[in-house]
Amino acid sequence: METLWFCLVALMLAVYVVLDGFDLGAGIAHLIVARCDQERRAVVRSIGPVWDGNEVWLLAAAGTLFFAFPALYATAFSGFYLPLMMVLWLLMLRAIALEFRAHLQGVIWRPLCDGVFAVASALLAIFFGAALGNVVRGVPLGRDGRFFEALWTNWQPGPDPGILDWFTVSVGLAALAALAMHGALWIAYRTEGPTQRRARALARRSWWAVLTLTVLVTLATFQIQPQVPHRLAQAPWGAIFIALALGGLVAVSRFGRRGDDRGAFLGSCAYLLGMLTSAAHGLYPYVLPSAIDPAFGLTVHSAAAPQHGLRIGLMWWIPGMALATLYFVYVYRRFAGKVSDTGEGY
């Protein structure tokens, strides 16, 4: 039962990254691919009906984590208190900028909202990537199940790391490049004209950065976290997740060259799913490794709630997530197709 919940939480986080990732990427890219207010409005309209709904998956994953792995929830939220507050502020600033740009007509306010939207989106991508890097690398978790990390120490992984070091920053930059590509592909899929052409060009440039950083981060992960190659040797079937990521990256390039924006975007979705599921598979059974001693790390067994609670929770989780999935299918089908810079909303 613990393993099932581990898979469900990992899946929900992966779905969040795929869905909210493209609107974060649209925020990162929109000042580059859109040169005037009308074009920027079209970019914002492409994510307008769905961006806030996409964040439901993050809330659902956090709520699931709370009742399925309460020890992990308590440990991680107390140890990562500072970056979590920074993420919360960035989420609020991004939402305020996105909503207010449609209501503030001044020559100063609308460009300010666009700038805040872009910067907050980029920083969120970096912070989410750095958070994943911290989990993969491990945190200074002691015997008492608690830890504290400064924002940075000596920029080196080890028994006393900071939240930011060369490895976590590298993962953050990889996330920034991946979401910029993901967002550019979404914009190309949903828009037309000059904006679409610039989005395609940005996606092509980002692809090379994603490929380079993926290789570097993967090699660094195998060096820093021995659990990952050990797990892959123990359960080689996990190579299917690596194949999914590589296949998705190849699909982005091939479909992009053909001008098939939908296929390229789906390839980017596959790449993100493959990378995140590869990380989850590589860390299992750990949910939060310790950088001090592997024996101090939290596993799916030590961090899980009692079996009865997990079984009851599953009975409520299935219909709840089925309703959420049906809602998302309806919304995405309802607002499918190309967008314009005219009409109501945003």
Side-chain angles (χ1 to χ4, degrees):
M1 187 63 73
E2 296 92 343
T3 298
L4 173 61
W5 278 110
F6 174 83
C7 295
L8 291 177
V9 172
L11 178 62
M12 294 171 74
L13 290 174
V15 170
Y16 166 73
V17 171
V18 169
L19 295 182
D20 205 37
F22 73 71
D23 62 62
L24 283 172
I28 296 167
H30 86 291
L31 290 181
I32 301 172
V33 303
R35 302 292 172 81
C36 62
D37 184 71
Q38 288 76 17
E39 292 179 351
R40 290 172 188 165
R41 188 180 182 193
V43 171
V44 172
R45 283 171 64 86
S46 73
I47 65 172
V50 298
W51 73 267
D52 50 352
N54 291 339
E55 294 181 353
V56 167
W57 290 94
L58 180 61
L59 297 175
T64 302
L65 199 66
F66 175 72
F67 78 79
F69 300 103
L72 170 63
Y73 188 92
T75 300
F77 273 63
S78 60
F80 291 131
Y81 186 81
L82 175 60
L84 284 170
M85 290 300 103
M86 297 172 73
V87 165
L88 181 61
W89 273 100
L90 290 172
L91 285 170
M92 290 190 296
L93 286 172
R94 180 173 174 270
I96 290 170
L98 186 59
E99 293 291 344
F100 276 30
R101 80 174 309 277
H103 303 286
L104 299 174
Q105 305 296 329
V107 295
I108 295 177
W109 290 108
R110 182 162 287 184
L112 177 62
C113 287
D114 288 337
V116 171
F117 180 46
V119 172
S121 298
L123 289 177
L124 277 170
I126 295 172
F127 268 75
F128 285 142
L132 177 61
N134 272 265
V135 173
V136 171
R137 178 205 63 196
V139 298
L141 191 61
R143 190 186 300 273
D144 59 356
R146 299 181 181 180
F147 75 96
F148 170 78
E149 279 188 303
L151 193 57
W152 65 78
T153 54
N154 58 2
W155 290 89
Q156 296 294 322
D160 187 27
I163 293 171
L164 301 177
D165 58 32
W166 68 262
F167 175 72
T168 59
V169 170
S170 298
V171 180
L173 293 176
L176 176 65
L179 294 189
M181 179 185 74
H182 197 48
L185 291 169
W186 172 261
I187 294 170
Y189 174 47
R190 295 297 308 277
T191 62
E192 296 177 312
T195 304
Q196 183 186 54
R197 291 193 293 271
R198 296 188 202 108
R200 287 173 174 174
L202 177 60
R204 286 194 297 269
R205 294 194 298 270
S206 299
W207 186 90
W208 289 104
V210 172
L211 176 64
T212 302
L213 289 168
T214 298
V215 172
L216 294 177
V217 167
T218 301
L219 293 175
T221 299
F222 275 68
Q223 183 68 29
I224 289 173
Q225 181 50 267
Q227 169 62 19
V228 174
H230 172 74
R231 172 64 178 167
L232 190 58
Q234 186 183 49
W237 58 267
I240 190 174
F241 302 126
I242 301 175
L244 177 62
L246 293 176
L249 208 53
V250 170
V252 170
S253 178
R254 291 203 170 192
F255 285 114
R257 286 198 299 268
R258 298 175 187 172
D260 185 349
D261 299 314
R262 182 173 181 269
F265 175 72
L266 292 176
S268 181
C269 294
Y271 165 76
L272 292 173
L273 280 173
M275 290 298 291
L276 292 167
T277 50
S278 295
H281 175 267
L283 289 178
Y284 181 86
Y286 289 100
V287 290
L288 191 62
S290 172
I292 298 175
D293 187 334
F296 299 156
L298 291 177
T299 68
V300 294
H301 307 291
S302 63
Q307 291 290 317
H308 176 72
L310 295 178
R311 287 193 295 268
I312 296 298
L314 187 62
M315 294 170 58
W316 288 97
W317 185 90
I318 292 174
M321 296 313 300
L323 288 173
T325 302
L326 289 174
Y327 166 78
F328 273 84
V329 170
Y330 169 77
V331 169
Y332 277 89
R333 288 177 64 88
R334 177 66 177 81
F335 294 100
K338 300 290 185 179
V339 297
S340 69
D341 56 6
T342 59
E344 297 181 356
Y346 294 97

